Amino acid sequence: MNSRRDFLQKLAASVIAFPMLSTEAISCIENADKKNYDGPPLRVAIMGLGSYGTRVADAMRDCKRARLVGVVSGTPAKITNWQSKYNIPEKNCYSYETFDTIKDNPDIDVVYVTTPNGLHHDNVIRAAKAGKHVICEKPMALNAKEGQEMVDACKKANVKLLVGYRMHFEPKTLEIIRMRKDGELGKILFFQGLSGFTIGDPTQWRLNKALAGGGSLMDIGIYSINGARYMIGEEPVWVTAEETKTNPQKFKPGVDETIQFQLGFPSGAVASCLSTYSMNNLDRFFLNAEKGFAELQPATGYGPIKGRTSKGELTQPHITHQTVQMDEMAGIILDGKQPIVPVDGEEGVRDLKIIDAIYQACSTGKKIALK
């Protein structure tokens, strides 16, 4: 890992070399490295100590406004390992059986839920009832009904609910959104989102209907759904979709292998997207408009993101996504900061409504209207 001094030197060089960095991108960078921030940190407990929880924990080492202080896990050995690795005190460690007592711990502000999709609903509601703010990984729930119940529970408990949309803080992504908002691309006409990879171990939870809620669409396809919305800047009004399954032994009933789906928007713009667990080299967004285009490839991976527009290459520097995300979410929770692209529970429900409609379109073969 580079030292902070090396990081700042590279950042300075980037700003000098590329003076046209957008305001949004520069804001993200500044928030990721605030030299003089001396206010209270956002004190985070991670629930679910798997691979992604570990990625978030490692990224938080470089945060200026967020600090990992607690863990929740059903595996005692993982808790012991994390205590040593991240210097977590015993009083901030919980099992799923003891989790509800977190309500009596004033040293934890927020619980970050990184458990399998099928557990999100209950985990989030338990955290809210314990009086803790919640960050939940995407998809927020198995369907829109569950998602709305989570939103309602957090509102009732007067706690914030955020969703782990790390791309909403990514500088190259934000630059394209700025260009679209400022009219530099003109009327938006078309979006293409390709999201997929070849999944491995057939026994993993992502291929378990009860835990995953589906297949590729719930895991990787949600990036194209969400991307279509923030790239076009509208909410879709209709959906069509078709599922393809070539390996029914690996992809059991209810676990989708590949789905092609289309979204229609009020302005007349359309999106054509692919979600798959059976093809690699699929991480691309393309936005076509009357005055130009924008492309990201890779578009949603852990980085660095690469992109270009009709005006040239995007040159905003890469910072670990989860580091930026957690510092920005600290600002949202502690200061009431409003992000450029929403990351609240309502945003998560919007994606879930589209996912519900895509699955309905696959099963019926019909064009589904979105309310």
Side-chain angles (χ1 to χ4, degrees):
M1 183 178 295
N2 291 331
S3 68
R4 185 174 176 279
R5 179 179 299 172
D6 290 340
F7 171 82
L8 291 174
Q9 288 174 345
K10 290 179 180 179
L11 176 57
S14 297
V15 174
I16 292 170
F18 308 111
M20 296 306 292
L21 283 172
S22 73
T23 301
E24 290 91 342
I26 292 172
S27 174
C28 279
I29 296 164
E30 289 174 346
N31 283 327
D33 193 81
K34 285 185 178 291
K35 291 189 294 184
N36 300 318
Y37 178 74
D38 59 0
L42 181 70
R43 299 166 299 178
V44 182
I46 292 180
M47 173 185 279
L49 310 185
S51 61
Y52 194 74
T54 301
R55 184 178 291 274
V56 173
D58 288 342
M60 287 179 65
R61 294 181 189 271
D62 294 326
C63 282
K64 299 299 177 288
R65 299 211 58 187
R67 181 181 304 157
L68 176 62
V69 300
V71 293
V72 185
S73 175
T75 307
K78 285 186 178 181
I79 293 177
T80 300
N81 181 51
W82 277 53
Q83 279 186 272
S84 174
K85 184 176 180 181
Y86 302 109
N87 193 29
I88 297 171
E90 178 68 31
K91 67 182 182 63
N92 291 350
C93 297
Y94 297 89
S95 67
Y96 293 112
E97 289 72 29
T98 64
F99 172 66
D100 297 321
T101 63
I102 200 172
K103 69 180 186 298
D104 301 317
N105 190 335
D107 296 330
I108 294 174
D109 302 312
V110 59
V111 176
Y112 194 154
V113 176
T114 64
T115 54
N117 306 338
L119 306 179
H120 289 177
H121 175 269
D122 291 349
N123 291 162
V124 167
I125 291 176
R126 284 181 75 183
K129 287 181 177 178
K132 303 301 180 182
H133 301 296
V134 193
I135 302 169
C136 183
E137 257 315 299
K138 59 192 177 303
M140 191 174 78
L142 298 186
N143 51 58
K145 178 179 180 294
E146 278 194 0
Q148 189 59 54
E149 289 171 356
M150 294 156 70
V151 169
D152 293 343
C154 289
K155 286 183 177 178
K156 182 178 180 180
N158 196 30
V159 298
K160 288 184 170 66
L161 171 59
L162 306 181
V163 184
Y165 288 115
R166 59 186 167 83
M167 302 313 300
H168 292 198
F169 308 106
E170 196 281 315
K172 293 182 178 70
T173 301
L174 290 177
E175 173 62 4
I176 294 175
I177 293 171
R178 182 202 65 78
M179 292 176 69
R180 187 253 300 159
K181 285 183 173 181
D182 289 352
E184 293 181 20
L185 298 173
K187 179 180 172 62
I188 304 300
L189 304 172
F190 174 76
F191 171 82
Q192 182 188 52
L194 305 177
S195 300
F197 61 92
T198 301
I199 199 165
D201 180 10
T203 66
Q204 64 181 282
W205 71 262
R206 288 177 178 82
L207 297 178
N208 181 314
K209 175 67 162 61
L211 290 177
S216 68
L217 188 68
M218 297 292 284
D219 181 33
I220 192 70
I222 191 172
Y223 284 99
S224 282
I225 294 171
N226 194 247
R229 294 175 50 236
Y230 62 66
M231 287 291 191
I232 293 175
E234 301 178 44
E235 295 300 325
V237 293
W238 59 259
V239 167
T240 60
E242 184 175 0
E243 179 182 358
T244 302
K245 187 171 291 191
T246 65
N247 188 344
Q249 289 73 39
K250 186 173 186 178
F251 303 99
K252 306 296 184 184
V255 178
D256 49 284
E257 177 183 350
T258 299
I259 293 180
Q260 299 173 74
F261 60 93
Q262 296 74 41
L263 308 174
F265 294 83
S267 65
V270 292
S272 178
C273 304
L274 175 70
S275 168
T276 185
Y277 266 161
S278 293
M279 288 177 261
N280 289 324
N281 308 308
L282 289 177
D283 184 11
R284 178 177 183 263
F285 286 177
F286 181 79
L287 188 68
N288 191 38
E290 286 183 336
K291 295 181 182 179
F293 72 88
E295 180 184 36
L296 293 173
Q297 187 175 9
T300 63
Y302 294 136
I305 301 302
K306 296 182 179 180
R308 64 190 181 103
T309 75
S310 42
K311 293 189 173 184
E313 183 182 359
L314 295 173
T315 56
Q316 290 74 14
H318 170 70
I319 307 170
T320 300
H321 296 170
Q322 293 82 2
T323 303
V324 180
Q325 172 196 324
M326 294 308 295
D327 273 336
E328 288 291 311
M329 287 185 167
I332 293 169
I333 292 173
L334 298 176
D335 305 332
K337 181 177 180 181
Q338 294 299 310
I340 294 164
V341 185
V343 292
D344 54 28
E346 286 82 358
E347 177 77 356
V349 172
R350 292 184 189 103
D351 278 343
L352 289 169
K353 287 180 177 178
I354 297 169
I355 287 174
D356 288 350
I358 290 172
Y359 281 134
Q360 184 181 356
C362 285
S363 63
T364 64
K366 296 180 179 179
K367 183 178 184 177
I368 306 299
L370 291 163
K371 297 180 181 179

